[in-house]
């Protein structure tokens, strides 16, 4: 089989690593890829938003499957453009991707289909949004409607903070067009877990649950980032909870999308808050999480390719396996000093081979560039050191051993990835 993978981050490196292991694959291309992906695929100089270039290449080279990693091209309609050429695509249509691309759409869909989520209202007028905050009280969460790279949700403890967040979106337009509408919602308390579900015309297949660590510093302190680490599976998310989420959340959501004429084809990221009254949706995404994809790929024992292909072609998906199946895996992100604020680039990275010489460790590259045989930093989140082991404690230990083998100037990582899951388990 010939597969084209679209994207060039840590998520796509993990996908490329996993796809390349399949005996079904004879050729893997990545557009644009990165130096890590180049170890498993031929990288192409085609950007993720170049729909004509991607469709032309895939068609011209008889690709059997196109796998789209990031959300922006999906929300912009890349999967539709590829399907129009007769290609098999793993990734939702533009209309189905609106479940991530418009929070207002996602909230309306949930309201219409009885999917449990925070109470909310949508506004494009700042005064009306402020009135609603006063009626409902704080804490509340103000969210930019559109794509904001994971940074468009502002948790507000006071009315002053809510007023400022509304001003930031609707008056100062700090999120650009993504923030011309806001969703104001009730603050939910509980443990946050994400469930990843493959979904297509041939049914659903819950892949795994994961937990990520959004803030930059240990103890969940500091500003939000794209994600500083993740682990999978989540010990507290058991078989019964997975079945409940599938029944109460995933099935009605997918049915709702289909009823809107937008059936989902790809991986649905179900961001959940496990509240005292049950699981409720924080957000949906229309693709794998980054960095959650890294531990999920490493913990997965079966071949990913037949599953991706079945989703893309609408073939029947296999029966779900147990929620606690798969080995434990942990990803620790190594970021540039200063991230998520300003940070330098172009610093030499050493120690990847040494890190990967440890059992069960893979270093997925996110923000790197290769020049004359040497590797340099080229982004905020640079590497995702990921380890798989028989249990979470061993996976954490192995991941940090890998991290300690790596060096670049000013590198920063959290030292507590996965630790809370061990504490929850011990109590
Ligand atoms: P989102 O962009 O919607 O995923 O939100 C980003 C983060 O903000 C989530 O991962 C949560 O930690 C937090 N968050 C969002 N909505 C809520 C909510 N209604 N209640 C509590 N926390 C929330």
């Amino acid at each position: 089989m010939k597969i084209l993978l679209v994207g060039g981050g840590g998520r796509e490196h993990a996908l490329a690593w996993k796809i390349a292991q399949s005996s079904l694959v004879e050729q893997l291309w990545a557009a644009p890829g990165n130096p890590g992906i180049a170890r498993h695929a031929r990288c192409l100089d085609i950007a993720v938003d170049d729909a004509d270039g991607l469709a032309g290449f895939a068609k011209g080279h008889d690709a059997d499957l196109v796998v789209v990693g990031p959300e922006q091209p999906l929300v912009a309609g890349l999967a539709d453009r590829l399907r129009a050429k007769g290609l098999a695509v793993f990734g939702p249509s533009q209309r189905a991707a609106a479940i991530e691309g418009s929070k207002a759409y996602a909230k309306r869909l949930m309201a219409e289909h009885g999917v449990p989520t925070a109470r909310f209202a949508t506004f494009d007028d700042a005064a009306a949004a402020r009135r609603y905050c006063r009626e409902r009280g704080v804490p509340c969460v103000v969210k930019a409607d559109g794509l904001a790279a994971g940074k468009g949700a502002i948790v507000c403890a006071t009315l002053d903070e809510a007023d400022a967040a509304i001003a930031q979106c609707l008056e100062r337009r700090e999120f650009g067009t993504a923030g011309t509408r806001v969703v104001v919602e009730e603050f939910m308390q509980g443990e946050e877990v994400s469930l990843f579900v493959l979904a297509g015309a041939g049914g659903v297949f819950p892949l795994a649950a994961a937990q990520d660590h959004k803030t930059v510093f240990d103890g969940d302190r500091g500003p939000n980032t794209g994600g500083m680490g993740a682990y999978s599976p989540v010990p507290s998310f058991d078989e019964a909870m997975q079945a409940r989420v599938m029944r109460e959340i995933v099935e009605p959501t997918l049915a709702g999308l289909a009823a809107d004429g937008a059936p989902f084809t790809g991986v649905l990221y179900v961001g959940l808050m496990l509240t005292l009254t049950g699981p409720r949706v924080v957000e949906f995404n229309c693709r794998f999480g980054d960095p959650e994809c890294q531990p999920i790929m490493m913990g997965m024992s079966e071949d990913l390719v037949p599953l991706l292909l079945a989703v893309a072609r609408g073939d029947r998906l296999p029966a779900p396996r147990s929620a606690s199946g798969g080995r434990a895996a942990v990803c620790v992100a190594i970021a540039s000093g200063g991230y998520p604020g300003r940070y330098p680039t172009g610093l030499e990275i050493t120690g990847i081979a040494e890190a990967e010489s440890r059992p069960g460790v893979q270093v997925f590259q996110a923000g790197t560039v290769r020049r004359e045989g040497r590797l340099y930093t080229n982004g905020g989140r640079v590497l995702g050191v990921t380890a798989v082991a028989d249990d979470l404690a061993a996976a954490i230990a192995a991941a940090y051993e890998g991290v300690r083998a790596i060096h670049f100037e000013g590198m920063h990582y959290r030292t507590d990835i996965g630790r809370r899951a061990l504490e929850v388990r011990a109590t």
Side-chain angles (χ1 to χ4, degrees):
M1 262 182 73
K2 296 188 230 171
I3 300 181
L4 171 61
L5 173 65
V6 178
R11 163 184 47 216
E12 289 79 23
H13 187 179
L15 288 169
W17 172 83
K18 183 72 182 163
I19 289 170
Q21 288 171 47
S22 173
S23 57
L24 299 170
V25 177
E26 63 190 90
Q27 174 74 58
L28 177 61
W29 299 283
N34 71 32
I37 294 172
R39 292 160 62 187
H40 317 286
R42 219 189 96 212
C43 294
L44 308 170
D45 191 16
I46 309 177
V48 299
D49 58 4
D50 179 2
D52 288 338
L54 292 167
F57 181 89
K59 197 68 194 159
H61 291 77
D62 295 323
D64 300 289
L65 175 65
V66 184
V67 179
V68 184
E71 64 275 21
Q72 297 91 341
L74 292 168
V75 170
L78 176 61
D80 310 78
R81 302 278 285 277
L82 295 165
R83 281 194 192 102
K85 296 253 183 203
L87 293 156
V89 185
F90 180 87
S93 67
Q94 181 170 35
R95 289 188 58 197
I99 199 160
E100 172 167 4
S102 167
K103 289 188 192 294
Y105 173 68
K107 294 298 285 192
R108 183 168 60 70
L109 188 77
M110 287 187 267
E112 277 174 17
H113 297 275
V115 174
T117 184
R119 272 183 311 195
F120 74 102
T122 304
F123 300 95
D124 47 24
D125 176 67
R130 291 195 175 101
R131 266 199 309 279
Y132 180 80
C133 292
R134 278 157 183 76
E135 277 163 29
R136 290 288 184 186
V138 285
C140 69
V141 186
V142 175
K143 297 182 176 185
D145 177 48
L147 289 184
K151 299 182 185 95
I154 306 162
V155 176
C156 307
T158 64
L159 281 175
D160 280 349
E161 285 175 22
D163 288 347
I166 291 164
Q168 205 180 336
C169 294
L170 292 179
E171 289 166 351
R172 292 203 304 278
R173 296 281 152 95
E174 284 184 21
F175 298 105
T177 52
T180 53
R181 255 194 312 185
V182 295
V183 169
V184 179
E185 65 177 41
E186 166 200 6
F187 178 78
M188 300 184 287
Q189 229 153 4
E191 192 70 19
E192 248 186 286
V193 177
S194 307
L195 178 65
F196 293 83
V197 181
L198 301 180
V204 292
F205 184 84
L207 207 50
Q211 198 160 39
D212 80 343
H213 297 64
K214 281 223 190 285
T215 65
V216 70
F217 300 126
D218 284 10
D220 296 330
R221 288 177 302 113
N224 270 342
T225 69
M228 292 300 290
Y231 62 91
S232 173
V234 180
S236 58
F237 192 83
D238 61 14
E239 201 78 37
M241 183 57 84
Q242 177 169 300
R244 183 172 176 187
V245 170
M246 291 302 292
R247 191 174 61 244
E248 292 180 8
I249 292 173
V250 176
E251 284 166 19
T253 300
L254 293 172
L257 283 168
D260 279 357
F264 194 90
T265 307
V267 58
L268 185 66
Y269 170 133
V270 189
L272 297 163
M273 193 71 83
L274 306 182
T275 73
L276 285 176
T277 55
R280 297 166 78 191
V281 174
V282 177
E283 63 163 345
F284 287 113
N285 291 322
C286 66
R287 37 74 195 181
F288 280 110
D290 187 347
E292 295 96 322
C293 186
Q294 287 84 320
I296 289 175
M297 289 304 120
M298 281 200 78
M300 194 176 167
S301 49
E302 60 267 74
D303 189 345
L304 177 67
V305 171
L307 291 168
L308 298 178
L309 194 64
V311 168
R313 288 186 177 160
D315 296 343
R316 224 178 127 79
L317 287 166
R321 56 171 152 73
S322 113
S324 51
R327 298 175 77 199
V330 175
C331 172
V332 178
I334 305 185
S336 297
Y339 173 80
R342 284 168 59 86
Y343 53 82
T345 57
L347 302 167
E348 188 173 359
I349 305 166
T350 56
I352 289 184
E354 199 190 326
E356 290 185 337
S357 70
R358 284 150 221 259
V361 174
Q362 282 296 320
V363 181
F364 295 119
Q365 300 186 25
T368 63
V369 64
R370 187 170 282 285
R371 280 196 294 265
E372 288 156 15
R374 292 170 189 267
L375 196 66
Y376 298 91
T377 64
N378 193 37
R381 289 183 300 163
V382 177
L383 303 171
V385 181
T386 311
V388 65
D390 289 332
D391 63 48
L392 185 59
I396 293 170
Y400 279 107
E401 263 191 46
V403 168
R404 281 189 290 273
I406 287 170
H407 178 77
F408 62 84
E409 200 185 314
M411 67 181 232
H412 166 73
Y413 58 91
R414 278 180 63 159
T415 65
D416 62 349
I417 303 301
R419 192 186 294 158
R420 207 146 54 95
L422 296 181
E423 287 162 5
V424 169
R425 190 180 254 185
T427 52

